[in-house]
Amino acid sequence: MDFSQILAEKTDTILDKWITAVRKDRRIESADDLSYTAVKDHIPDVLQAMVTVLSKSQDNDIQSIVTASFQHGAIRAEQGFDPAEIAREYHLLRTVIFDALQADLLGGTPGDIIRSMRLIDAIIDEAIARCFKSYVDERLRELQQLQLSLTLHNEELTRLMSANQEYLSQLAHELKHPLTSIIGYSDLFLRQQRRKTQLKDTSANLEHIERVLRNGRQLLHLINDVLELSRYEAGQIKLQLAPTDVRELIDNVCEMLEPLAAEKNLKVVVDCDRAPNELITDPFQCQQIVTNLISNAIRYTESGTIIIMCQVLENQRCAIAVSDTGIGIAPENQTQIFEPYFRVSFSDRPYLPDSTGLGLAIVSRLVKLLQGTINLASEVGVGSTFSVILPLEVKM
């Protein structure tokens, strides 16, 4: 019996059932927001290569599988999949293939059944190995880019800090822990790579890379905030005024931050029906303000709703308000909330671990740069509302 022909005829059915299984599997959350085509990726090429190998001998060239799986791993890395999710989707692929071929396999000879099952297993195992290699390569490429970016930012930070030592001690404390983790895990990974003969513990190595990247991103975020504040204090931010669609700007920021809200099951409501048609302002700085306010609302809200409103006011002004149902800010802290390095404390811990205390300080200064004002209304245990009042046209 020619199982390769049977597999070829059922390829589309297998693919549809596999994509359905991937979408339903709660252990593959990264596929939730991907399109049908994005989930499918290069799997059809793997199946076609499997048809070719089944129709000949086990020793035939499987370069097409190698290529397809390598590309699949690189794309999954870009899409944000973790190693466990990739392994899970190949497990589902194996299950769907055998379910589809079960009745036909039972109709073949024992020799044909054993040969076909071994080949299918071998092909999927090879696909997994090549996919993981590509995934690791992509993560290493990202790590190299991050290292280069950190080096450049460190040089700029060193130059700025030489002129301003006021917060150097506190900044060094904030940089110490993520930087130590980056150095430690990088060293461990590199030593393992130098002495390995074969990659036997892929998951452990991938976890080291993920920790390096996670801490590196945190460090880079802190450095970016410090540099932004330093540039403002040094008067180095020059406005680039342009007609700005504030509704589109808010929608773009909400779309970018939606995964963070979804991770905490927060509802995000946008009300821009009364927003102005456009502002004459610096769109980049305006986006920085909105991004910081919304991300802050998400960070300090564990359940409930984030509401973003925009409306025209009298005297050629408009208001952008971001409300949350978060922890709120005590009255005694509300006068300090826009000061650099100030962070709201919790009863069970000093402050959120990923907070730098610079976000609102940057917001207040950018609002002033755009000739606006910012106000806060907050109640502990109820939530906070930050309202930014901007002119419809910034005057140079």
Side-chain angles (χ1 to χ4, degrees), residues 25 78 117 158 175 184 191 222 254 289 323 349 358 370:
D25 196 308
E78 293 175 3
M117 292 183 68
T158 300
L175 293 176
R191 283 189 283 110
L222 175 59
C254 288
I289 293 170
S323 301
R349 60 180 184 266
L358 294 174
L370 296 181

Side-chain angles (χ1 to χ4, degrees), residues 226-286:
V226 172
L227 293 177
E228 184 72 13
L229 191 63
S230 298
R231 279 192 284 265
Y232 176 87
E233 301 292 353
Q236 295 177 351
I237 299 179
K238 305 299 180 184
L239 294 181
Q240 303 293 326
L241 302 183
T244 303
D245 186 337
V246 67
R247 304 183 195 192
E248 181 180 5
L249 184 150
I250 291 173
D251 286 340
N252 289 341
V253 172
C254 288
E255 182 179 352
M256 176 180 65
L257 297 178
E258 196 280 332
L260 297 180
E263 190 172 292
K264 302 173 77 172
N265 294 317
L266 299 177
K267 183 179 181 181
V268 178
V269 177
V270 178
D271 180 6
C272 290
D273 292 342
R274 293 172 291 171
N277 292 328
E278 69 176 24
L279 300 179
I280 305 300
T281 189
D282 187 318
F284 178 77
Q285 307 304 341
C286 189

Side-chain angles (χ1 to χ4, degrees), residues 173-185:
H173 176 75
E174 295 294 336
L175 293 176
K176 177 181 177 181
H177 297 293
L179 187 56
T180 300
S181 180
I182 289 174
I183 294 171
Y185 280 106

Side-chain angles (χ1 to χ4, degrees), residues 376-391:
L376 166 63
S378 184
E379 183 177 347
V380 174
V382 176
S384 304
T385 297
F386 288 87
S387 301
V388 175
I389 312 298
L390 297 174

Side-chain angles (χ1 to χ4, degrees), residues 15-30:
L15 192 59
D16 288 338
K17 289 184 177 180
W18 175 75
I19 291 176
T20 300
V22 169
R23 288 192 179 281
K24 289 182 178 180
D25 196 308
R26 290 298 87 209
R27 283 176 281 183
I28 312 179
E29 295 181 355
S30 297

